[in-house]
Amino acid sequence: MSGLHLKRSPLAPAGFPDLPVVGGVEIATASLGLYGARDDLLAVQFPQGASAGGVFTRSSTRSADVDWCRQALADGEGQARALVVNAGNSNAFTGQAGVEKNTATINAMSKLAECPPEQVFIAATGVIGEPMTADFVANALPDACADMGPPNWEKAASAFMTTDTFPKGAGATTDIDGVPTAIAGIAKGSGMIAPNMATMLAYIFTDAALSPAVCQALVARYAETTFNCVTVDGDTSTSDTLMLFATGAAGGRLIEDLSDPRLEVFSSALEAAMTDLAIQLARDGEGASKLIEISVAGGADDRSAKTIAAAIANSPLVKTALAASDANWGRIVMAVGKSGEPVARDKLSICIGDVEAARGGARSPTYSEAAASAAVAGREVTIKVNVGVAEGRARVWTCDLTHGYVDINGAYRT
Amino acid sequence: MSGLHLKRSPLAPAGFPDLPVVGGVEIATASLGLYGARDDLLAVQFPQGASAGGVFTRSSTRSADVDWCRQALADGEGQARALVVNAGNSNAFTGQAGVEKNTATINAMSKLAECPPEQVFIAATGVIGEPMTADFVANALPDACADMGPPNWEKAASAFMTTDTFPKGAGATTDIDGVPTAIAGIAKGSGMIAPNMATMLAYIFTDAALSPAVCQALVARYAETTFNCVTVDGDTSTSDTLMLFATGAAGGRLIEDLSDPRLEVFSSALEAAMTDLAIQLARDGEGASKLIEISVAGGADDRSAKTIAAAIANSPLVKTALAASDANWGRIVMAVGKSGEPVARDKLSICIGDVEAARGGARSPTYSEAAASAAVAGREVTIKVNVGVAEGRARVWTCDLTHGYVDINGAYRT
């Protein structure tokens, strides 16, 4: 795996964004040696009283790490003091060995952070089913945490990449009731991306003063419209984790209710950062050469519209056509049809970029193959579908399916 | 499209099988010029009193042809006199133009076969959304039908191929209550294969004396365990059609009830022929280099087991790993987990060929990477999964995802 050298995605942003300092968040990174000398371990500490919320994969073969985080959030009532993430081995489907690795890691970190175990959150990403020795991560933590300090966000985002070709970050300086408040988020993910609750691994940090219940409500609400709207290959990870940590270091009165009007500006900034991170996952989709945004309107309801959008986004025939810059809109018709959702076939309309391909259940009278080809020739493609049933809407992001995907996923373990 | 020259699949059978004459079935083929000089039109005639049954795509964007066949089976009470199939254009999503093409085709054929329109069945396969002139097929029928005669099954199976690299046939000589009875089936399909009721196009002909109700019950029953258990890419066609035609020319008393004990031997032979054809579709999966059989046991019920098997079969990560002869069984764990079906994670077991990869929710203590690699190195791979919930079982066939799939589906229209 350490032999995998991938070129930076052509869809990558120009550089890592300039993210704000988040009061109360301290970070350390180190190398466990799973990717040569590259950092593959991330440790984060929060001050006493920090809150957390999280959403996790719905996979029935989820990792022991996910089981732990869910339980710890409940047992510890959303109090968070530390986070430990390693890349190179997902610790998923490792049975008792995986539980022992987690116990050792959590015990080591709770000693360093001087907190109860249920205030330590963990995650791991990489190969599934390869047991690690129990103290592999635990033994590395004391040295790693000796360097704990104010975050270098790019370094932090780089320390948990697997097949990612660029580190992913997004954030903002916003305010809550006049108090300047920072948001910084980091994420990783490139393949096995079709989150069903949250995606691969994404962490958002803020110095806002939010109760654990508000943290939980915010991630749950915005996961639906951001990370849960991204798909690379329709494959759902065993480790998907999205967490929000709020240190309260910005000051201001604690917000304990999602409907608190002081949250309005902050919520928008949070959703924007989460959307930005989610789209970066599609931009770094394994082998991706095009970013594809699919909007569906006219669905029976929003859920139905999202199922239809995902059917288009996950169709290998749609994705391979786009990889070849072929505006094969008949395959979009096919994908809409296979979704199993209510569709008014004879009202169906499809636009590719600004080009109307279909209207009223047949090819548009104004359709131009040349114009449609031009609309799919670039790095970014937009597809708009109206299925003519009711008012449901959804927007989903994905990438194309190229030779690169086949190469990367044949070479991953070898 | 006519410029697409595909090499014969390495998984193709040695040759076309020797299929029996089916009394009462006459066939003609011709070229409409959609693939150069190659035949792309198939016409079949049946004697007065022949029965038919059929199952069709559940796509909500299904073709007008599928709409017609469903309605004609009902209106004509399962009486069949003719079948017309063209390749090169699916006539799907062509609105009123598609209906007009069908009306002209059906009228022309009903005149030639001297039967009411509702005894003529039709299908079309190829590009979606390109309207054809109304009489394009109708005008070709009189000349084509002048050559109507006893079937050359290989020629018939070749006349409706699209991206298929070999014609597909299967059949048997069996008996019903001591009366020798022939079964011959032909099918086409290579991509957009994830049938949801039936697959692309498959036609089974027999000279057995079966009532329309028995024909319908037989195809519906065996579609579930044969064609509906094949997937190439998880994409469901707008034209999927499976029909059984029974001429009665073998003689013998009409069978009017599925529970008639005289059907026993015949039913087994029919299911075997349908299974054979279904597997040939996976063998000709676009770009396929390996045939993969996935058996799931221990499911909550058979339907649940099939959903899990399909999740494995449609996972791009599983398919690309196998293409590279990588026994990446962790991705099988992932696919089981994302299926949304009940799974006892800590009882999960996986075998690849004869190699136990996982047992009791973790890597098997006897696992050998070398042995597992050997088990996926050949042209045929078997995967057995037990999800440890109850007694549900299913078996699904698919192929791997290779560079060939990306090539073929980028080049299809250009």
Side-chain angles (χ1 to χ4, degrees):
Chain A
M1 196 152 94
S2 56
L4 198 64
H5 292 291
L6 298 171
K7 272 198 304 198
R8 186 173 169 90
S9 167
L11 309 174
F16 195 83
D18 199 16
L19 299 185
V21 171
V22 177
V25 177
E26 295 202 302
I27 288 186
T29 63
S31 174
L32 297 164
L34 294 173
Y35 294 87
R38 202 203 85 184
D39 281 353
D40 51 17
L41 178 64
L42 168 69
V44 188
Q45 282 189 238
F46 311 105
Q48 188 94 37
S51 303
V55 288
F56 305 91
T57 185
R58 284 182 182 141
S59 168
S60 57
T61 57
R62 64 193 169 277
S63 68
D65 306 57
V66 164
D67 284 345
W68 168 266
C69 288
R70 241 191 220 133
Q71 195 58 47
L73 272 179
D75 293 350
E77 296 176 346
Q79 302 292 313
R81 293 296 304 281
L83 167 69
V84 181
V85 185
N86 75 270
N89 186 314
S90 75
N91 199 41
F93 206 71
T94 46
Q96 189 52 33
V99 174
E100 284 162 17
K101 179 243 174 183
N102 286 345
T103 305
T105 304
I106 291 156
N107 287 344
M109 194 68 206
S110 72
K111 204 181 284 180
L112 291 162
E114 298 176 350
C115 68
E118 65 269 20
Q119 295 181 12
V120 177
F121 296 88
I122 53 172
T125 175
V127 171
I128 295 169
E130 291 274 351
M132 302 170 87
T133 53
D135 48 14
F136 188 71
V137 172
N139 284 350
L141 281 174
D143 275 358
C145 291
D147 291 331
M148 190 71 72
N152 174 329
W153 292 115
E154 183 169 4
K155 236 179 130 185
S158 301
F160 65 134
M161 300 199 308
T162 55
T163 55
D164 301 67
T165 73
F166 62 89
K168 296 163 191 72
T173 302
T174 176
D175 81 274
I176 293 185
D177 203 24
V179 178
T181 305
I183 299 174
I186 54 176
K188 65 82 54 185
S190 181
M192 208 177 281
I193 294 286
N196 185 6
M197 193 57 197
T199 193
M200 293 299 282
L201 303 180
Y203 298 102
I204 322 278
F205 306 95
T206 179
D207 49 14
L210 309 176
S211 73
V214 168
C215 284
Q216 185 61 39
L218 283 170
V219 281
R221 174 192 282 183
Y222 294 126
E224 273 313 307
T225 54
T226 62
F227 292 103
N228 282 2
C229 287
V230 176
T231 179
V232 167
D233 49 17
D235 275 346
T236 301
S237 162
T238 43
S239 304
D240 289 342
T241 295
L242 163 64
M243 294 192 75
L244 170 67
F245 297 99
T247 66
R253 207 156 29 90
L254 184 69
I255 295 182
E256 300 187 82
D257 189 331
L258 192 60
S259 62
D260 191 320
R262 290 178 298 157
L263 263 183
E264 203 172 307
V265 175
F266 176 86
S267 293
S268 298
L270 177 66
E271 186 179 21
M274 288 169 68
T275 302
D276 188 337
L277 283 174
I279 293 175
Q280 287 186 52
L281 297 180
R283 285 188 177 276
D284 204 12
E286 287 171 341
S289 76
K290 291 178 198 290
L291 175 69
I292 304 161
E293 180 181 299
I294 298 161
S295 302
V296 171
D301 52 31
D302 289 353
R303 187 211 50 76
S304 176
K306 190 161 155 189
T307 302
I308 294 167
I312 301 167
N314 284 321
S315 160
L317 289 170
V318 171
K319 292 161 91 87
T320 47
L322 290 173
S325 297
D326 178 6
N328 194 329
W329 59 271
R331 293 180 180 175
I332 299 172
V333 174
M334 175 282 300
V336 169
K338 80 162 182 172
S339 67
E341 294 298 324
V343 169
R345 179 187 64 187
D346 297 337
K347 290 188 194 165
L348 187 61
S349 69
I350 298 171
C351 285
I352 301 176
D354 295 328
V355 179
E356 186 180 76
R359 185 206 299 178
R363 191 168 69 187
S364 167
T366 64
Y367 181 69
S368 148
E369 185 74 34
S373 295
V376 299
R379 288 286 183 211
E380 304 198 0
V381 175
T382 61
I383 295 170
K384 289 196 180 70
V385 174
N386 192 311
V387 298
V389 174
E391 300 302 316
R393 288 183 170 275
R395 189 168 51 162
V396 159
W397 297 274
T398 189
C399 57
D400 52 347
L401 172 55
T402 68
H403 287 295
Y405 185 88
V406 178
D407 280 332
I408 292 165
N409 287 301
Y412 186 58
R413 295 202 320 162
T414 48
Chain B
M1 198 154 91
S2 56
L4 198 65
H5 291 292
L6 298 171
K7 272 198 304 197
R8 188 174 167 89
S9 167
L11 309 173
F16 195 83
D18 199 15
L19 300 185
V21 171
V22 177
V25 176
E26 295 202 299
I27 286 185
T29 62
S31 173
L32 297 165
L34 295 173
Y35 294 88
R38 202 203 86 185
D39 282 353
D40 51 18
L41 177 64
L42 169 69
V44 189
Q45 281 188 239
F46 310 106
Q48 189 93 37
S51 302
V55 287
F56 304 90
T57 185
R58 286 183 180 138
S59 168
S60 58
T61 57
R62 63 194 169 276
S63 69
D65 305 59
V66 164
D67 284 345
W68 168 265
C69 288
R70 242 193 218 132
Q71 195 59 46
L73 272 178
D75 293 349
E77 294 175 349
Q79 301 293 311
R81 294 297 305 281
L83 168 69
V84 181
V85 184
N86 74 270
N89 185 313
S90 75
N91 199 41
F93 205 71
T94 46
Q96 189 52 32
V99 173
E100 284 163 16
K101 179 243 177 185
N102 286 345
T103 305
T105 304
I106 291 157
N107 287 344
M109 195 66 206
S110 73
K111 205 181 283 183
L112 291 162
E114 298 176 351
C115 68
E118 64 270 20
Q119 297 182 12
V120 177
F121 296 88
I122 52 172
T125 175
V127 171
I128 295 169
E130 291 274 352
M132 303 170 86
T133 53
D135 49 12
F136 188 72
V137 172
N139 285 350
L141 282 173
D143 275 359
C145 291
D147 292 331
M148 190 70 73
N152 175 329
W153 292 116
E154 183 169 3
K155 235 179 130 184
S158 301
F160 64 134
M161 300 198 309
T162 55
T163 55
D164 301 67
T165 73
F166 63 89
K168 296 162 190 74
T173 303
T174 177
D175 81 273
I176 293 185
D177 203 25
V179 177
T181 305
I183 299 174
I186 53 176
K188 65 83 53 184
S190 181
M192 209 178 279
I193 295 285
N196 185 6
M197 192 57 195
T199 192
M200 292 299 283
L201 301 180
Y203 298 102
I204 322 280
F205 306 94
T206 178
D207 49 13
L210 309 175
S211 74
V214 168
C215 284
Q216 184 61 40
L218 283 169
V219 281
R221 174 193 283 183
Y222 294 126
E224 272 314 306
T225 53
T226 62
F227 292 104
N228 282 0
C229 288
V230 176
T231 179
V232 167
D233 49 18
D235 275 346
T236 300
S237 163
T238 42
S239 305
D240 289 342
T241 296
L242 164 64
M243 294 191 76
L244 170 66
F245 297 98
T247 66
R253 207 158 29 88
L254 183 71
I255 295 181
E256 300 187 83
D257 189 332
L258 192 60
S259 63
D260 192 319
R262 291 177 297 157
L263 264 184
E264 203 173 306
V265 176
F266 175 86
S267 294
S268 299
L270 178 65
E271 186 179 20
M274 287 169 68
T275 302
D276 188 338
L277 283 174
I279 293 174
Q280 287 186 53
L281 296 180
R283 285 188 177 277
D284 205 10
E286 287 172 340
S289 76
K290 292 178 196 289
L291 176 69
I292 304 161
E293 181 182 297
I294 298 161
S295 302
V296 171
D301 52 31
D302 289 354
R303 187 210 51 75
S304 176
K306 191 162 154 189
T307 302
I308 294 166
I312 300 168
N314 284 322
S315 160
L317 289 169
V318 171
K319 292 162 91 88
T320 46
L322 289 172
S325 297
D326 178 5
N328 194 330
W329 58 272
R331 294 180 180 176
I332 300 172
V333 173
M334 174 282 299
V336 168
K338 80 163 181 170
S339 67
E341 294 297 325
V343 168
R345 179 186 65 187
D346 297 337
K347 290 186 191 166
L348 187 61
S349 69
I350 298 172
C351 285
I352 301 176
D354 296 329
V355 180
E356 187 180 77
R359 186 206 299 177
R363 191 168 71 186
S364 167
T366 63
Y367 181 70
S368 148
E369 185 75 33
S373 295
V376 298
R379 288 287 183 209
E380 304 197 0
V381 175
T382 62
I383 294 170
K384 288 198 181 70
V385 174
N386 193 311
V387 298
V389 174
E391 299 301 316
R393 287 182 171 275
R395 189 169 50 162
V396 159
W397 297 275
T398 190
C399 57
D400 53 346
L401 172 56
T402 69
H403 287 293
Y405 185 87
V406 178
D407 280 333
I408 292 166
N409 286 301
Y412 187 60
R413 296 201 318 163
T414 48

